[in-house]
């Protein structure tokens, strides 16, 4: 496979989703000196087997204490601007006072071609969302409407979600082990190295199955 085809393959979100995993990407980021790229463990997939991969579309929300004149205005604008392969990444600044996300927003995001959503807040309508093929990562659930409780104040800006700084366009990868944020300017390099390491891990796995000890494995491959 020539270099052009290989680069196209490595940044194919469906291939990344099928062949890589969060721990592998986190290892590569560690090796490159990026040691705080995994979101807090409380952010987990709504469905255990959900995997999300795509470009970050960031949303900034916060608590409010009065009914807004135009409820959901910026939240709707943000969802309407999603495009194919985007992952909506929303911070509520740790607020859990309402179900910020729900079934109708999920349906709208799917209609725009989004790959999934990651929240450091809460969602509602979870039974309905579970039936949709839309990966959702969140802290928990809350039946209360966000109107007059949590409101979007900006989008496509730098945010902090789950303890990690996220910029628009960063590569997001989430699975059962957690959500990893790969800065956009190194995403291609990280993914290429992850594919290389995945191939090496297959060789290591075979060696262990053939009787190589953990110590011998590490001394030989420096992978474990």
């Amino acid at each position: 496979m020539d270099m052009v085809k290989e680069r196209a393959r490595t940044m194919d979100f469906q291939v990344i989703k099928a062949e890589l995993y969060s721990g592998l990407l986190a290892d590569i980021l560690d090796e490159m000196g990026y040691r705080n790229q995994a979101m807090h463990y409380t952010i987990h997939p709504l469905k255990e087997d959900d995997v999300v991969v795509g470009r970050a579309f960031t949303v900034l929300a916060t608590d409010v204490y009065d009914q807004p004149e135009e409820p959901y205005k910026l939240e709707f604008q943000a969802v309407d601007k999603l495009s194919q392969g985007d992952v909506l990444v929303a911070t509520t600044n740790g607020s859990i006072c309402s179900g910020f996300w729900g079934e109708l927003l999920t349906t709208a995001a799917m209609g725009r071609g989004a790959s999934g959503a990651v929240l450091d807040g809460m969602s509602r309508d979870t039974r309905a969302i579970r039936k949709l093929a839309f990966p959702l990562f969140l802290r928990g659930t809350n039946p209360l409407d966000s109107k007059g409780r949590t409101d979007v104040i900006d989008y496509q800006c730098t945010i902090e979600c789950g303890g990690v700084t996220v910029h628009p366009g960063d590569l997001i990868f989430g699975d059962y082990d957690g959500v990893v944020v790969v800065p956009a300017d190194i995403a291609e390099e990280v993914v290429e190295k992850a594919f290389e390491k995945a191939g090496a891990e297959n060789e290591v796995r075979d060696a262990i199955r053939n009787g190589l000890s953990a110590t011998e494995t590490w001394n030989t491959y420096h992978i474990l």
Side-chain angles (χ1 to χ4, degrees), residues 151-174:
D151 206 12
V152 173
I153 59 174
D154 201 1
Y155 56 87
Q156 286 298 70
C157 57
T158 300
I159 64 171
E160 184 175 294
C161 184
V164 180
T165 299
V166 185
H167 303 279
D170 285 348
L171 177 66
I172 304 298
F173 189 104

Side-chain angles (χ1 to χ4, degrees), residues 4-65:
V4 173
K5 289 182 179 179
E6 177 62 22
R7 286 184 178 273
R9 173 183 180 274
T10 57
M11 292 310 293
D12 183 318
F13 294 154
Q14 292 305 313
V15 175
I16 293 170
K17 186 174 184 177
E19 298 187 18
L20 302 183
Y21 57 93
S22 61
L24 181 56
L25 290 167
D27 286 352
I28 300 300
L29 287 162
D30 273 354
E31 292 169 5
M32 294 175 64
Y34 294 80
R35 297 181 60 82
N36 186 39
Q37 298 304 122
M39 292 187 186
H40 195 266
Y41 74 90
T42 54
I43 298 177
H44 58 275
L46 180 62
K47 294 190 295 184
E48 185 173 305
D49 58 350
D50 274 347
V51 178
V52 66
V53 182
R55 299 175 301 270
F57 186 106
T58 61
V59 172
L60 174 60
T62 190
D63 283 353
V64 294
Y65 303 96

Side-chain angles (χ1 to χ4, degrees), residues 66-178:
D66 201 0
Q67 296 282 352
E69 292 183 6
E70 298 180 87
Y72 318 115
K73 180 180 178 180
L74 291 184
E75 187 170 13
F76 289 159
Q77 283 184 15
V79 171
D80 287 344
K81 289 182 182 295
L82 291 169
S83 59
Q84 192 75 34
D86 284 345
V87 176
L88 185 140
V89 182
T91 179
T92 62
N93 288 291
S95 174
I96 56 173
C97 70
S98 72
F100 174 76
W101 194 256
E103 178 192 6
L104 296 183
L105 289 174
T106 298
T107 303
M110 292 177 69
R112 302 297 301 168
S115 298
V118 177
L119 324 170
D120 70 357
M122 317 294 269
S123 180
R124 63 182 193 167
D125 308 328
T126 48
R127 181 178 295 178
I129 295 172
R130 282 180 179 275
K131 297 178 182 178
L132 301 172
F134 185 82
L136 175 62
F137 288 69
L138 72 173
R139 284 180 64 192
T141 60
N142 188 329
L144 293 174
D145 187 5
S146 64
K147 184 171 67 175
R149 297 186 176 94
T150 311
D151 206 12
V152 173
I153 59 174
D154 201 1
Y155 56 87
Q156 286 298 70
C157 57
T158 300
I159 64 171
E160 184 175 294
C161 184
V164 180
T165 299
V166 185
H167 303 279
D170 285 348
L171 177 66
I172 304 298
F173 189 104
D175 58 19
Y176 187 73
D177 287 334

Side-chain angles (χ1 to χ4, degrees), residues 171-213:
L171 177 66
I172 304 298
F173 189 104
D175 58 19
Y176 187 73
D177 287 334
V179 179
V180 173
V181 180
V182 183
D185 59 346
I186 61 167
E188 187 172 282
E189 181 181 1
V190 169
V191 170
E192 287 178 357
K193 288 182 175 180
F195 276 114
E196 291 172 3
K197 186 171 183 178
E201 284 185 343
N202 291 333
E203 184 177 347
V204 169
R205 190 177 296 109
D206 289 341
I208 293 172
R209 286 171 176 165
N210 289 329
L212 201 66
S213 71

